[in-house]
Amino acid sequence: LGVRGVGDLAVLRQAAQRPVVAARQEERLVEAKAELGHELDRAIEAALQALRDIARIRPGQRVLVTGASGGVGTFAVQIARSLGAHVTGVCSARSVDLVRSLGADRVIDYRSENVGAVLASEYPDRIDLALDTVGGEVFDAMVDNLANHGRLVISGCGILTTAGGLFFSQADSLATAMAARVLIGIGTAS
């Protein structure tokens, strides 16, 4: 009875602790959901500010969104489309269907397609507005294919590239690079 009783007591103690553990896990889940909600709010706000407030998107414009399957990118595709833009999203092959389902008119798989070549051949009048959330080689393709008076908005990406001799590094917050068009010597920002 003693051994069995100790065992039963141990089981009872464990069972008694389960609601506390469950309550802690539920509390952590609620905290995680709240944090996810804040992250979604920030992504939506960043996409909306970039397109509507900074770039002043207009219906009919050709808009390019890099990282189109990411946090800011998924909302940017939807917002641009809802505001009447022709949207091109850049992502990997595994996300092509997702980005298309969000409303992108054209999706470029950056791993299997040359982004610069696609933009040059399919958009001879160039891109009116580009939202860059990833940086890197795609950034150079965007700059090379921006229309005169086009707008380039950089959102939360660590850019480490040169464009026309300029060096961009660590864009930590939503920033506009419309002046870069002038500095690079391609055209002027309007």
Side-chain angles (χ1 to χ4, degrees), residues 22-44:
R24 286 184 189 144
Q25 289 173 341
E26 186 174 325
E27 184 178 305
R28 288 185 194 135
L29 183 60
V30 168
E31 289 171 3
K33 285 180 181 177
E35 183 59 32
L36 178 60
H38 294 303
E39 291 298 320
L40 289 174
D41 288 346
R42 284 190 283 265
I44 294 167

Side-chain angles (χ1 to χ4, degrees), residues 144-164:
D144 292 343
N145 288 282
L146 269 177
N148 283 335
H149 304 284
R151 292 176 178 83
L152 168 62
V153 180
I154 303 166
S155 177
C157 55
I159 295 177
L160 193 60
T161 187
T162 58

